[in-house]
């Protein structure tokens, strides 16, 4: 390997040269930063400035570059030197735009800028250009688990884009839940009549498509590997083949395993389980056998009156306000009941059809469909059902919410609009608890794991468990606003009602999105790149196993289950599953995990590079570790808006708060910093962390840092964490200023003395 | 129970909604209400309605025939058209209220002596008698709607107003002798009788 | 310049000696100045108003209005029907539109009209006077004849219900129509910020439900005072009558001291166009519009 040569380039444009002493910074880069080459330029990002750097790379053998100019988020096209390690000292957004104007601030402004130059030089010296993780062979095939509407849509979308697809469907034919429907809610104008489900057409398209291979009567017995190299074992359920396992190699997976209707017999208060009280699936069956004619009950009697009970066992209503059953709204059931009421009206307009609702939720064009049902004479009654009695003649007791009275209605048949329960496999929280017991030698727990695995969808051979982590209510969801389709298993995407409750049209859109994500995943895997949100990133964690104490923190904390264990119980990194968040790096107590371009050292050396004034100068220093996804952009935005904040702060962008290793904090405090601020994304159920669990883990770790601080003799207030959104530019400036004021109040760090 | 009322009950059995759809002006709109309550909140006399239009529509669907036809609610309509302008489902609510009131009245179920009903009747009769409204006889009739004694009290109470209007030449005492009329009074009378006949036939009231 | 021709439907309340007779007086002055020729429909009849519903029913009401439309069609072919009264306009327009839309209703209507020797093809457009002023004349032309701008007058523009709903003036909002304010400003007065523009005065129910209606009227008058208005102006006969007449009642019962003049926009225009107080029918006010009279006297 050729020798490294370090160079620093300081821009004096954009007002930097007018406000700051560039010559002094050049001296610092040379003397303290130990840069072999230091140049300044009046307009670094223009063609001439960039060419100057390129020439140095070509002619002078420069391998490492520190650009002291604008934010690392600006001018990324200009400052793009492939194969060269680069750091950015943020003199524009981070200094001249945010430090108050005027001569009174000249000194602190210059100190801040000089520190950023020191930090930029220190960082680049520790950086290595990542070589990437290109694999010799990488599969670009896509596995679709589930052959219902979602699965078929995903398969066709991927095949249309030219990718090979393997479908695994547990039933003997494609179609899933939809194949049992008589018709579906309309997808196209005028949205007034139910439409054919389209299941046959889709299934026919699939069998005609040479790129799609279908395993019917099959389930996934094992999923091993990582994006680009998933090895799938497929179990046949049918007798002739007996336990023989087919194998498929795929690059990415779409999990479209749908839902199961909530068990209607649990709704005893709504007559669930009694004669002539059915759920929506039950009604489809009756309508199917009627074949367009009069709909008959199970006992053969023609249905002349029917009541649909909405939200049955949903929305925490339990139908009777008991808070039992499902907490959520399944979204499709209002429109589904409307459609089913039309089955009756279209066969015989004389049938009394009542839809009993408390809120009719028909999003999208559902309003037109609702209107159409009203035109057909379906009666909509706003009422809360208290009790349903089934039997030969059914009776629905309800509170009329408009007329404010308790009353009842008789019907031949009652249909309960029950909710969707996701087919999401094993709940990993339960799993972890059982596995922990089993690892401790508990025999019953060991048996339980076997039993639990039988309920698994993917049977992942992952250290963190056999299925995708579930979010609220057991759905395999992700933050649907910030990261639609993303899951916490790289290269595996959930689609359809297994991800969140939805109707058929939404499931089709969802499945198309998931197919596109799967395509991205196989393409990125082949190039050795990360997946969202660092899709360009070629770095991946390197671990020095010699130092590993087998504490397992990285294995447990990796939000994406990327780390398994080898036979010797050392962590085994699956790079293709890794999202490059650095959470493992933050977790490791002995600091043996790092990336080539982002490491304990690249940040640690910056912390140390800052010139911390002694106790007589009365100038505090505050270290700010800011998440590069939201907090750092917000800081830049504060600059753009010319909001001012304290010049005592030194900001370092981090990939995720999860990557913050406590050593940086303790090092900073030992060096005499007076405070450490962390800014990361929102955690919890409505998290906005780009790595899902990073900010949560950071806040957990920081909650434990108190003891360390006490040992050091440092006040607890010297380390604080804030949740910040990308739009919070005003708030970040205020948070910094408030904290600076607070530090003034508690006084300089005792470590300085 | 009046004759046409018992016939209606027999004919529609428990299906009041159908009865309204077939016999009440714009009654086929009732099923389209989505129970948002905007009409109820828009009505100037809203607080005085026993049942708001929203509720009336629900009651019709719930088959509460007697309660709907006997209430004085729809008689509270001032014809301000607020509800029509605001209903997200574009129900011609004002017309339906008028239609319901008219139907209840035709069946003889509407509350007897309800003041707005009285004024509606007096106004119409006044208008068709001469083809044009005679404001004096209309007002006098209004004052005497509650009987002679109350009528004198009522007109005494409003005497100042009347005298003022007379002074301003906006109420003509000579009108009591006739006042404005159309020339083709008989044609108008015949055509209205015919219209009533056709409508009754269509509604099954004949 | 040739005068614009319209079939005129005055309506019962605007007849000589009726409650809105002063309205008719002012209309005459105004139309004169604006080159509008109003041709009274021969033997027109009452529209039945909205309140006629109880006794009238649907078809008789439509037929009553269809008669006026038929008379227009027959005697003034090609002319739009214009009414100054919102109730007349509403009934006529509703009839015209419904009969155009539903051929079966038109057939039934003609069956009845035959009894009066008439027939309707249903081509007539029924319009309101303000509609004609705004759409056919325009604000600029309305301003042109102003010789006596109503400087310094503050006026609350009270549109009321039926001028505004359900048809209203094209392009205006139901909730906050601006055309009356614009008309007020056209004649040089100031339109106050008045928040009861579209409030119902009780309509015909002012007679039968005095308490309920007077509560409405109180709001209407009070808001005019609050807005700093010298007077209320309205395009509606029933609004004018109710809001003016019942102020003394409300004063008596509730101890208020209302004395808010209520005039028609036509009266404003007549004065602004140089007419006398008598031309504008100001002698017909129960509550004298003194400030307006003063301008007229100049
Ligand atoms: S960087 Fe993040 S995703 Fe990758 S192994 Fe570490 S914790 Fe897991
Ligand atoms: S039109 Fe009648 S029902 Fe409608 S808001 Fe006005 S008064 Fe009420
Ligand atoms: S506003 Fe219209 S839709 Fe709403 S409750 Fe009234 S009638 Fe029904």
């Amino acid at each position: 390997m050729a020798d490294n040569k370090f160079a620093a380039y300081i821009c004096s444009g954009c007002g930097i040269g007018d406000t700051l002493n560039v010559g002094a910074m050049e001296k610092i880069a040379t003397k303290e930063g130990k840069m072999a080459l230091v140049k300044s330029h009046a307009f670094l990002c223009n063609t001439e400035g960039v060419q100057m750097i390129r020439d140095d790379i070509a002619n002078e053998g420069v391998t490492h570059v520190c650009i002291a100019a604008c934010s690392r988020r600006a001018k990324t096209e200009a400052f793009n030197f492939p194969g060269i390690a680069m750091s950015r000292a943020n003199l524009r957004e981070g200094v001249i735009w945010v430090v108050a104007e005027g001569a009174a601030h000249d000194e602190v402004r210059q100190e801040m800028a000089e520190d950023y130059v020191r930090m930029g030089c220190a960082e680049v010296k520790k950086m290595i250009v990542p070589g990437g993780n290109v694999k010799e062979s990488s599969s670009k095939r896509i596995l679709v688990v589930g052959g219902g509407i979602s699965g078929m849509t995903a398969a066709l979308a991927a095949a249309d884009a030219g990718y090979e697809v393997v479908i695994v469907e547990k039933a003997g034919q494609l179609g899933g839940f939809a194949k049992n429907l008589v018709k579906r809610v309309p997808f196209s104008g005028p949205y007034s009549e139910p439409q054919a489900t389209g299941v046959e057409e889709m299934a026919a398209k699939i069998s005609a498509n040479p790129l799609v291979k279908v395993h019917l009567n099959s389930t996934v017995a094992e999923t091993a590997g990582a994006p680009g190299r998933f090895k799938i074992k497929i179990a046949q359920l049918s007798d002739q083949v007996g336990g023989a396992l087919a194998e498929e190699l795929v690059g990415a997976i779409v999990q479209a395993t749908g839902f199961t209707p909530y068990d209607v017999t649990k709704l005893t208060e709504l007559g669930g389980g009694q004669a002539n009280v059915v759920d929506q699936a039950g009604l489809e069956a009756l309508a199917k056998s009627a074949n367009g004619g009069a709909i008959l009950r199970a006992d053969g009697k023609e249905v002349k009156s029917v009541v649909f009970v909405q939200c049955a066992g949903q929305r925490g209503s339990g139908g009777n306000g008991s808070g039992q059953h499902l907490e959520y709204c399944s979204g499709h059931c209002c429109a589904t009941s409307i459609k089913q009421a039309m089955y009756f009206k279209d066969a015989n307009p004389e049938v009394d059809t009542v839809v009993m609702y408390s809120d009719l939720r028909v999003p999208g064009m559902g309003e037109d469909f609702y209107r159409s049902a009203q035109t057909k004479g379906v009666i909509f009654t706003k009422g809360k059902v208290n009790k349903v009695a089934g039997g030969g003649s059914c009776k629905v007791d309800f509170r009329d919410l408009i007329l404010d009275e308790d009353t009842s209605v008789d019907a031949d048949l009652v249909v309960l609009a029950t909710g969707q329960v996701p087919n999401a496999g094993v709940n990993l929280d339960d799993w972890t608890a059982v596995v922990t017991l089993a690892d401790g030698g508990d025999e019953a727990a060991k048996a339980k794991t076997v039993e639990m695995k039988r309920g698994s969808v993917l049977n992942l051979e992952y250290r963190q468990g056999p299925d995708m982590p579930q979010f609220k209510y057991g759905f395999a969801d992700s933050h649907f606003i910030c990261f639609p389709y993303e899951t916490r298993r790289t290269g595996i995407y959930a689609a359809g009602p297994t991800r969140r409750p939805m109707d058929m049209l939404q499931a089709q859109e969802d499945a198309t999105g998931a197919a596109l994500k799967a395509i991205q995943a196989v393409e990125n895997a082949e190039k050795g790149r990360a997946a969202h949100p660092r899709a360009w990133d070629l770095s991946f964690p390197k671990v020095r196993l010699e130092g590993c104490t087998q504490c397992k923190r990285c294995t447990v904390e990796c939000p994406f289950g990327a780390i398994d264990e080898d036979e010797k119980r050392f962590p085994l990194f699956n790079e293709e599953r890794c999202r490059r968040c650095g959470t493992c790096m933050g977790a490791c107590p002995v600091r043996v995990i790092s990336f080539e371009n982002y490491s304990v050292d690249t940040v640690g050396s910056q912390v140390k590079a800052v010139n911390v004034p002694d106790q007589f100068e009365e100038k505090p220093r505050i270290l700010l570790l800011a998440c590069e996804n939201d907090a750092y952009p917000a800081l830049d935005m504060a600059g753009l808006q010319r909001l001012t904040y304290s010049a005592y702060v030194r900001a370092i962008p981090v990939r995720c708060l999860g990557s913050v290793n406590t050593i940086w904090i303790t090092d900073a405090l030992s060096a005499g910093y007076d405070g450490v601020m962390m800014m990361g994304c929102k955690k919890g159920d409505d998290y906005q962390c780009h790595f899902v669990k990073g900010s949560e883990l950071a806040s957990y770790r920081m909650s434990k840092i108190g003891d360390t601080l006490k040992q050091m003799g440092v006040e607890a207030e010297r380390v604080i964490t804030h949740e910040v959104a990308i739009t919070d530019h005003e708030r970040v400036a205020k948070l910094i200023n408030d904290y600076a004021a607070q530090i003034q109040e508690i006084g300089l760090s005792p470590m300085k003395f | 129970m009046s004759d046409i009322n018992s016939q209606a009950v027999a004919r529609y059995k428990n299906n009041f909604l159908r009865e309204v759809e077939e016999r009440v002006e714009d009654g086929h709109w009732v099923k389209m209400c989505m129970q948002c309550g905007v009409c109820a909140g828009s009505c100037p006399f809203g607080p005085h309605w026993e049942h708001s239009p929203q509720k009336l529509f629900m009651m019709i669907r719930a088959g509460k025939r007697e309660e709907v036809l006997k209430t004085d609610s729809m008689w509270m309509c001032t014809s301000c058209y607020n509800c029509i302008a605001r209903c997200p489902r574009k129900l011609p609510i004002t017309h339906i209220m008028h239609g319901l009131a008219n139907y209840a009245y035709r069946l003889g179920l509407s509350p007897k002596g309800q003041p707005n009903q009285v004024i509606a009747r007096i106004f119409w009769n006044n208008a068709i008698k001469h083809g044009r409204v005679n404001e004096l006889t209309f007002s006098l009739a209004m004052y005497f709607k509650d009987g002679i004694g109350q009528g004198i009290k009522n007109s005494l109470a409003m005497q100042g107003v009347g005298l003022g209007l007379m002074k301003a030449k906006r109420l003509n005492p000579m009108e009591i002798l006739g006042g404005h009329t159309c020339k083709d009074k008989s044609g108008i009378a015949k055509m209205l009788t015919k219209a009533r006949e056709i409508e009754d036939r269509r509604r099954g009231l004949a | 310049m040739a005068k614009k021709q319209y079939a005129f439907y005055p309506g019962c309340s605007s007849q000589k000696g009726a409650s809105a007779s002063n309205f008719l007086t002012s209309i005459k002055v105004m139309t004169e100045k604006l080159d509008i020729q109003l041709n009274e429909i021969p033997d027109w009849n009452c529209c039945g108003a909205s309140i006629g519903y109880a006794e009238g029913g649907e078809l008789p009401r439509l037929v009553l209005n269809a008669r006026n439309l038929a008379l227009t069609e027959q005697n003034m072919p090609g002319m739009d029907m214009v009414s100054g009264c919102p109730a007349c306009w509403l009934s006529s327009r509703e009839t015209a539109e419904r009969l155009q839309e539903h051929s079966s209703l038109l057939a039934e209507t003609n069956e009845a009209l035959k009894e009066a020797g008439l027939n309707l093809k249903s081509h007539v457009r029924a319009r309101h006077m303000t509609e004609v002023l705004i759409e056919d004349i325009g604000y600029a032309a309305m301003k042109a004849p102003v010789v006596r701008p109503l400087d310094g007058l503050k006026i609350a523009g009270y549109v009321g219900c039926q001028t505004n709903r359900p048809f209203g003036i094209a392009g205006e909002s139901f909730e906050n129509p601006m055309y009356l304010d614009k008309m007020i400003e056209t004649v040089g007065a100031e339109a106050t910020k008045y928040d009861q523009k579209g409030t119902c005065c009780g309509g015909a129910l002012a007679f039968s439900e005095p308490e309920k209606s007077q509560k409405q009227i109180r709001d209407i008058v009070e808001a005019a005072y609050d807005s700093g208005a010298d007077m209320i102006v309205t395009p509606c006969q029933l609004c004018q009558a109710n809001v003016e007449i019942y102020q003394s009642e409300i004063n008596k019962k509730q101890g208020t001291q209302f004395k808010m003049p209520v005039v028609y926009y036509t009266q404003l225009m007549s004065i602004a166009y140089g007419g006398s107080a008598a031309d504008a029918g100001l002698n017909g006010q129960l509550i004298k519009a003194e400030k307006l009279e003063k301008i007229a006297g100049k």
Side-chain angles (χ1 to χ4, degrees), chain B residues 33-39 54 57 87-89 91 93:
Chain B
C33 168
M34 66 174 192
Q35 294 296 316
C36 68
V38 163
C39 52
Q54 173 201 12
F57 298 152
C87 172
R89 279 300 190 79
L91 268 76
I93 303 164

Side-chain angles (χ1 to χ4, degrees), chain A residues 464 490 540-541 554 557-563 573-575 577-585 587 593 595 655 691 697:
Chain A
Q464 287 186 6
T490 310
F540 56 90
C554 58
E557 291 190 4
C558 170
F560 303 99
I563 314 169
F573 283 74
N574 293 276
E575 285 91 18
R577 292 190 212 156
C578 166
R579 303 278 259 274
R580 282 65 163 170
C581 60
T583 299
C584 49
M585 172 170 123
I593 306 172
F595 300 80
R655 285 190 183 174
F691 300 100
L697 286 165

Side-chain angles (χ1 to χ4, degrees), chain A residues 533-703:
Chain A
R534 299 184 59 86
W536 72 92
D537 196 346
L538 290 170
S539 73
F540 56 90
K542 301 251 159 143
V543 54
R544 282 185 295 112
L545 288 181
E546 318 82 86
C548 172
T549 59
Q550 299 194 333
C551 75
K552 291 194 181 44
R553 275 193 215 163
C554 58
T555 343
V556 170
E557 291 190 4
C558 170
F560 303 99
I563 314 169
D564 293 332
E565 268 165 31
D566 66 14
E567 319 78 61
K568 292 190 211 123
R569 317 211 82 184
F570 281 112
L572 182 67
F573 283 74
N574 293 276
E575 285 91 18
E576 302 92 332
R577 292 190 212 156
C578 166
R579 303 278 259 274
R580 282 65 163 170
C581 60
T583 299
C584 49
M585 172 170 123
C588 183
V590 288
R591 300 175 296 283
V592 295
I593 306 172
S594 272
F595 300 80
E596 288 156 312
N597 55 359
Y598 179 65
S599 63
V600 175
D601 270 357
T602 58
V603 177
S605 63
Q606 291 183 69
V607 173
K608 288 178 199 142
V610 169
N611 193 0
V612 181
D614 63 22
Q615 73 269 37
F616 305 111
E617 279 199 64
E618 303 243 321
K619 281 180 187 156
R621 287 292 176 259
I622 297 166
L623 176 65
L624 169 55
L625 297 167
C627 161
E628 66 178 14
N629 300 298
D630 273 32
Y632 203 72
L635 287 166
D636 276 356
M637 187 57 74
L640 208 64
Q641 307 259 344
R642 302 298 196 278
L643 305 172
T644 54
Y645 58 74
S646 168
Y648 296 143
V649 81
R650 301 292 179 263
I652 301 179
V654 295
R655 285 190 183 174
C656 173
L657 277 201
S659 71
V660 171
N661 194 296
T662 9
I663 191 76
W664 300 336
I665 296 165
T666 48
D667 275 1
L669 293 172
S670 317
Y673 281 81
D674 304 280
V676 179
M677 284 185 99
M678 273 167 283
M679 291 185 182
C681 298
K682 197 168 178 357
K683 56 180 183 297
D685 267 349
D686 49 352
Y687 70 92
Q688 289 180 10
C689 174
H690 290 52
F691 300 100
V692 190
K693 289 280 164 196
S695 57
E696 193 164 310
L697 286 165
S699 108
Y700 174 75
R701 290 179 201 146
M702 290 315 133
S703 70

Side-chain angles (χ1 to χ4, degrees), chain B residues 39 42-44 49 53 76-83 93-94 97:
Chain B
C39 52
S42 300
C43 188
W49 290 58
M76 293 295 154
C77 173
T78 66
S79 310
C80 76
Y81 289 83
N82 260 326
C83 50
I93 303 164
T94 316
M97 293 304 111

